[in-house]
Amino acid sequence: MKVVLVCVLLAALTAVTAVSTATIAGFVPGAKPALGITAGVTWLLAAAAFLVLLRVRGRAAIVLVLAGSAALGCAALAGPPNLSTDSARYAWDGIVQDAGLSPYAHVPAAEALDPYRVPWLFPVPVPAADGSLHCDGPRISQTTTLPGGDLLCTALNRPHVPTIYPPAAEAYFAAVRAVVPVEAQYAPLQVSGLLLSLGTTVLLVFGMRARGLDPRWAAIWGWSPFVATEAVTNSHVDVLGVLFMVATTFAATPALGRRLSGRGSRLHEWFGPEGSRRRAALVGVLVGLAAAAKFVPAIAAPALVRRRPVTTLLAAVTTFAVWYIPYVAVTGWAVIGYLPGYLNEEGYESGKRFALLSPFLPGLWATAVAGALVLGALVLGWRAADPRAPWHAQVVSVGAVLLITSPSYPWYALILIPFIALSRRWEWLVVPIALTVKSLVPSHTTATLVLAAAAVVAATVTVVRWRRSVPLTDVPRIADPAAAPRPAATREETS
């Protein structure tokens, strides 16, 4: 009966996800309230299914986790991206690279790229009643070409600035677009997002089993409406960095049992006590890959470098740099892209972005304090991490960094979800929920209140957990002084 109830709830979750994705056009004015309502319904269904799942044991629970993740991901393919135009930029960067050009060499509006424009990304302007030309379509913006200044219609955001994405992400875009015709629209990257999301679910299930953790908690990722929306429907490349970082976490922690890593085996050479330097190097390589896919997942790395930090950091920096070499050779330092401009545009340099600090600290003071708090959270995550179970430190440090920086884009919180599953610290789910609400109700006051409430909930439950886990150190009082043990005699007394 429990299995049947989980299946019913998952069926309802996938149905609501499919219908809302197919019918609610997020770029139409007034659509965000409807998206907010369906998001709330899917979160409630997912929570109910998970609570019932915790009463299911054995292989049936694992089958439900994997099947539910696949079903929800497929439902998220029912429509085009509805909250972001980033995947249009991903597709364009892939198309440009497959044509033999560097994505850092030209901005999308450059007239030099005219031969590579495809109608679904750059539709033809349509005439208005007065004969003038304009751009038509809910996700189409109007801009001008460079340097000529002609009218240009595009589905890309920021067409006048170079790409911001790091090289592993660019290689991923090129690989996805290389196997489909240029006419293929959003589906290729959505399917890729589904595969990466499902791969993360599989990795969590079997990685948690190998480390004695409850694999049913992998449903926190696999059944998350937030993951389905941001990783599949809107196909954000963050999910690639998340997959690398989860693999990094498992590579850094020992599995239970000796069947695969017994003395004398090949895996023992890498992961046994004698191979700790090699393990650290592998962890560093995976950290470098995660950072080269998207910078944000790297905030989960400090908790993994307690052992042999120099080896890990050298491997990470080397891997990150190697990914940039081909692009630097072609484009030079233009590979930095729009990152400095993005930080300024988002208000990080002026301090306006920090929703929990800017109401109390002016301008650069908010930036300075936020920088110190972020550094403190990462250092604390490094110092407090248990090398055998770093996810407890990861979930707190990553969640704290997200609350401090308060990004305007909720999908940055994708990196937090796997560590909630690993640590079973459900209270940190308030962070992606708060960032989602903040994106659907774009008001600075609302952002401050929502993030403040999330911070209070997460901090309160974290402190309660910490106090319960700390053993009492007070010496118990002895009621009868005569029953107190006599102190040992000193050298002077015995002489």
Side-chain angles (χ1 to χ4, degrees):
M1 184 60 66
K2 299 168 188 173
V3 172
V4 172
L5 182 55
V6 171
C7 291
V8 170
L9 290 170
L10 287 177
L13 173 61
T14 56
V16 173
T17 300
V19 171
S20 63
T21 303
T23 59
I24 301 177
F27 295 96
V28 175
K32 286 189 175 181
L35 287 173
I37 293 172
T38 56
V41 172
T42 53
W43 273 98
L44 291 175
L45 290 170
F50 177 71
L51 291 175
V52 180
L53 176 72
L54 293 180
R55 303 181 66 85
V56 179
R57 301 186 180 278
R59 292 184 178 180
I62 294 177
V63 172
L64 287 171
V65 171
L66 297 175
S69 179
L72 181 60
C74 289
L77 296 173
N82 54 16
L83 286 173
S84 169
T85 58
D86 283 0
S87 59
R89 187 62 176 256
Y90 301 167
W92 174 244
D93 283 1
I95 290 171
V96 168
Q97 290 179 90
D98 293 335
L101 302 176
S102 168
Y104 304 103
H106 302 280
V107 301
E111 292 174 347
L113 301 181
D114 282 346
Y116 310 104
R117 303 199 196 283
V118 290
W120 67 277
L121 289 175
F122 298 92
V124 176
V126 297
D130 59 359
S132 62
L133 297 177
H134 72 284
C135 300
D136 187 32
R139 64 182 71 236
I140 303 300
S141 61
Q142 182 170 311
T143 186
T144 56
T145 61
L146 294 175
D150 295 330
L151 177 63
L152 180 67
C153 302
T154 180
L156 278 62
N157 55 49
R158 302 182 179 92
H160 282 185
V161 301
T163 188
I164 194 176
Y165 302 104
E170 293 295 343
Y172 165 68
F173 304 153
V176 172
R177 296 301 309 186
V179 297
V180 298
V182 293
E183 294 79 12
Q185 298 189 15
Y186 297 100
L189 282 163
Q190 290 181 313
V191 172
S192 299
L194 168 61
L195 295 177
L196 292 172
S197 174
L198 186 57
T200 303
T201 304
V202 173
L203 186 59
L204 283 170
V205 166
F206 291 100
M208 293 169 77
R209 287 188 67 190
R211 286 156 183 79
L213 304 174
D214 188 347
R216 294 174 296 184
W217 278 76
I220 293 289
W221 169 273
W223 297 359
S224 170
F226 179 74
V227 173
T229 296
E230 304 299 354
V232 182
T233 303
N234 294 291
S235 50
H236 288 290
V237 71
D238 301 63
V239 69
L240 178 62
V242 171
L243 179 61
F244 282 136
M245 192 52 67
V246 173
T248 306
T249 301
F250 287 146
T253 54
L256 301 178
R258 297 291 180 182
R259 291 182 300 172
L260 296 179
S261 57
R263 186 173 298 278
S265 70
R266 178 70 66 178
L267 288 179
H268 180 76
E269 294 178 8
W270 278 89
F271 298 115
E274 297 86 1
S276 59
R277 188 181 300 276
R278 293 179 177 179
R279 181 198 289 269
L282 175 61
V283 170
V285 168
L286 291 171
V287 169
L289 284 172
K294 190 74 181 282
F295 302 120
V296 175
I299 62 178
L304 305 176
V305 299
R306 284 295 302 275
R307 294 173 175 171
R308 298 189 180 274
V310 175
T311 301
T312 305
L313 290 175
L314 284 176
V317 172
T318 301
T319 302
F320 184 77
V322 165
W323 273 98
Y324 267 104
I325 290 175
Y327 294 98
V328 172
V330 174
T331 318
W333 291 111
V335 296
I336 296 175
Y338 186 57
L339 181 59
Y342 170 81
L343 295 176
N344 181 56
E345 176 186 313
E346 289 297 308
Y348 285 113
E349 293 184 0
S350 65
K352 296 179 181 179
R353 173 53 54 200
F354 307 105
L356 297 180
L357 298 175
S358 58
F360 311 102
L361 297 172
L364 294 179
W365 280 103
T367 301
V369 172
L373 291 174
V374 167
L375 180 61
L378 297 178
V379 171
L380 181 62
W382 171 62
R383 292 288 299 169
D386 180 353
R388 297 166 299 178
W391 33 83
H392 296 291
Q394 286 173 303
V395 72
V396 175
S397 61
V398 171
V401 169
L402 290 171
L403 287 172
I404 295 166
T405 57
S406 55
S408 57
Y409 305 119
W411 52 86
Y412 285 11
L414 282 171
I415 185 59
L416 181 64
I417 307 297
F419 304 115
I420 296 175
L422 287 164
S423 65
R424 299 171 62 172
R425 295 181 178 241
W426 53 264
E427 64 273 13
W428 288 98
L429 285 171
V430 297
V431 175
I433 293 174
L435 291 177
T436 300
V437 173
K438 175 176 170 288
S439 68
L440 294 174
V441 187
S443 163
H444 192 73
T445 302
T446 301
T448 300
L449 293 176
V450 169
L451 288 174
V456 168
V457 172
T460 301
V461 179
T462 298
V463 169
V464 170
R465 287 183 185 274
W466 176 74
R467 294 194 55 152
R468 289 180 176 177
S469 65
V470 174
L472 295 177
T473 56
D474 295 337
V475 177
R477 296 181 179 179
I478 301 175
D480 183 3
R486 184 177 180 179
T490 63
R491 184 184 297 271
E492 292 77 6
E493 289 173 340
T494 55
S495 60

